[in-house]
Amino acid sequence: MLKALCPRLIRDYGFSILLAVALALLIRSSLVMAYFVPSGSMLTTMEIGDRFIANKAAYDLRIPFSRISLFHTGEVERGDVVVFKPPFKAEHDFVKRVVGLPGDVILIKDKVLHLNGEPQEEPYVRHTDQAVQPASRSPRDNLGPITVPRGSLFVMGDNRDESYDSRYWGYVPRDLVKGQAKLIYWSWDSDRFRVRWDHLGKYFD
């Protein structure tokens, strides 16, 4: 009797395990993804050591393990914090804030972002360097005006003086966006060896 049951148990449990793995891979590739923040380009919105969930279906539902979109599920909006593959060779995905949509005119004047001729109030922005660099030296503090082309986005880090973003390497093609950052589920301060409780559960609209 035991010999007869063993192959059946192995078959049933094996199928269940394979099904669970397949579902996990499907969810990971199409719906949600966990990310780790390794740098300070998004301080203080995101701290080094934060782990967050990105909604991969926020803008597109894609064929698993591909960049092919089956259909759009939403539109990227200004202010969204997005995860994307950089338009150049890089080891990791990037996370930045969308500040410009197709057709928007971007002007950065003495560190202040102007959008379509209007200066923007950005309460999440952090500056660590009081010096203002001229455009002839760097695009960090003075840039433009430039117009975001069709099918592209202009992104910047919230830690403006210490972010490598669209000011330096240009626009992000829309199809390189992988998802929208939604929730910080863990935050560890390795310098102080403690949990950042104030960041746990932080939700991005």
Side-chain angles (χ1 to χ4, degrees):
M1 183 70 175
L2 182 60
K3 290 183 179 180
L5 285 175
C6 282
R8 182 175 179 180
L9 287 173
I10 293 173
R11 181 191 66 196
D12 290 347
Y13 278 109
F15 177 77
S16 298
I17 292 171
L18 288 175
L19 180 61
V21 170
L23 288 173
L25 289 174
L26 178 63
I27 291 172
R28 184 181 184 275
S29 64
S30 302
L31 301 179
V32 296
M33 181 70 176
Y35 287 92
F36 172 76
V37 180
S39 72
S41 69
M42 284 295 291
L43 288 169
T44 57
T45 303
M46 289 180 167
E47 300 277 354
I48 298 172
D50 281 356
R51 294 181 181 272
F52 68 94
I53 295 291
N55 179 5
K56 298 186 74 174
Y59 309 119
D60 296 279
L61 187 62
R62 301 179 187 272
I63 294 176
F65 311 107
S66 79
R67 285 167 47 190
I68 301 174
S69 176
L70 295 174
F71 56 86
H72 294 307
T73 56
E75 297 298 329
V76 180
E77 298 181 1
R78 298 185 196 92
D80 286 357
V81 178
V82 298
V83 176
F84 59 93
K85 179 179 175 61
F88 55 88
K89 189 175 181 179
E91 294 182 5
H92 306 288
D93 294 337
F94 279 21
V95 57
K96 305 288 182 185
R97 189 180 297 273
V98 176
V99 299
L101 300 176
D104 284 343
V105 177
I106 301 289
L107 171 68
I108 301 172
K109 185 176 181 180
D110 297 338
K111 296 183 183 288
V112 178
L113 171 67
H114 292 68
L115 182 66
N116 300 320
E118 296 293 331
Q120 301 298 295
E121 293 185 9
E122 299 179 286
Y124 41 78
V125 166
R126 164 183 167 172
H127 289 289
T128 57
D129 184 6
Q130 297 302 314
V132 176
Q133 298 183 5
S136 58
R137 179 179 176 185
S138 168
R140 188 189 74 174
D141 303 329
N142 286 279
L143 174 70
I146 56 175
T147 301
V148 182
R150 182 178 181 180
S152 298
L153 306 168
F154 194 93
V155 301
M156 297 172 69
D158 290 351
N159 190 11
R160 291 287 161 84
D161 296 334
E162 301 179 45
S163 174
Y164 185 53
D165 51 40
S166 287
R167 290 170 292 178
Y168 299 92
W169 41 255
Y171 309 103
V172 177
R174 170 64 177 78
D175 62 355
L176 293 185
V177 175
K178 291 189 171 183
Q180 182 183 13
K182 298 305 293 184
L183 177 73
I184 294 175
Y185 67 90
W186 181 249
S187 182
W188 178 255
D189 186 340
S190 59
D191 292 331
R192 299 182 181 180
F193 204 70
R194 64 178 179 85
V195 177
R196 298 190 190 92
W197 295 106
D198 59 326
H199 264 231
L200 295 188
K202 186 174 183 178
Y203 184 79
F204 301 96
D205 293 329

